[in-house]
Amino acid sequence: MADHSASPGTASGRELTRMAISATLHCLTGCAIGEVLGVVIGTALGWETAPTIALAIALAFVFGYSFTIAPVMRAGLGLGAALGVALAADTISITVMEIVDNAILLLIPGAMDAGLDSVLFWASLAIALAVAFVVTVPVNRALIRRGKGHAVVHRYHH
């Protein structure tokens, strides 16, 4: 579990970057589960690229939000309030991650047509998620610095 000794609005420098990395890893975990599951399901069912990516994005949001909702509910919030916190905390991060992740998948020749038994398929997913992580860290850093994004969840992690 991340150390939340610094307040998101007052953190700076390395501490702010560390908080952004932690928030992005949190986001990446949920997004990656949904993204991989969606692409695997779409590929296994022989779907075209558009419905496969749509399913992957939808599942990325579902899993991404659930990774925030569950701990916030354990901290005492009801489902409606926890959903509100998740939407405020994760929407921008998940959106950026999904745009970058799926753009990379579309840019890698043959990635969306590769089968589940293909190294190209799995390597493309790994590369796309890694690039999405790198791009999303500074986004989360800026949000946390302003008391937005994952900073909204901070008070429930104690």
Side-chain angles (χ1 to χ4, degrees):
M1 176 80 25
D3 171 29
H4 294 285
S5 57
S7 172
T10 62
S12 63
R14 287 185 181 176
E15 179 63 15
L16 183 58
T17 300
R18 190 195 61 70
M19 291 173 78
I21 289 170
S22 176
T24 307
L25 284 171
H26 177 268
C27 179
L28 179 68
T29 302
C31 287
I33 291 168
E35 182 74 25
V36 171
L37 187 58
V39 174
V40 166
I41 290 169
T43 300
L45 295 176
W47 289 1
E48 296 293 323
T49 298
T52 298
I53 287 179
L55 177 62
I57 290 170
L59 291 175
F61 273 93
V62 167
F63 280 94
Y65 287 142
S66 71
F67 274 47
T68 296
I69 291 171
V72 170
M73 287 181 67
R74 282 193 298 273
L77 264 66
L79 178 59
L83 180 59
V85 169
L87 290 171
D90 294 333
T91 299
I92 293 172
S93 182
I94 294 171
T95 299
V96 170
M97 195 163 284
E98 285 305 296
I99 289 169
V100 173
D101 174 29
N102 286 291
I104 297 296
L105 284 176
L106 291 170
L107 289 173
I108 297 174
M112 292 303 297
D113 297 321
L116 296 177
D117 59 349
S118 166
V119 172
L120 176 61
F121 177 85
W122 295 104
S124 297
L125 272 172
I127 290 166
L129 290 167
V131 171
F133 174 81
V134 170
V135 171
T136 307
V137 168
V139 171
N140 280 326
R141 189 178 191 282
L143 289 168
I144 292 168
R145 187 177 68 241
R146 291 177 180 90
K148 308 278 187 210
H150 210 262
V152 174
V153 179
H154 184 271
R155 67 181 144 179
Y156 301 105
H157 283 190
H158 295 288

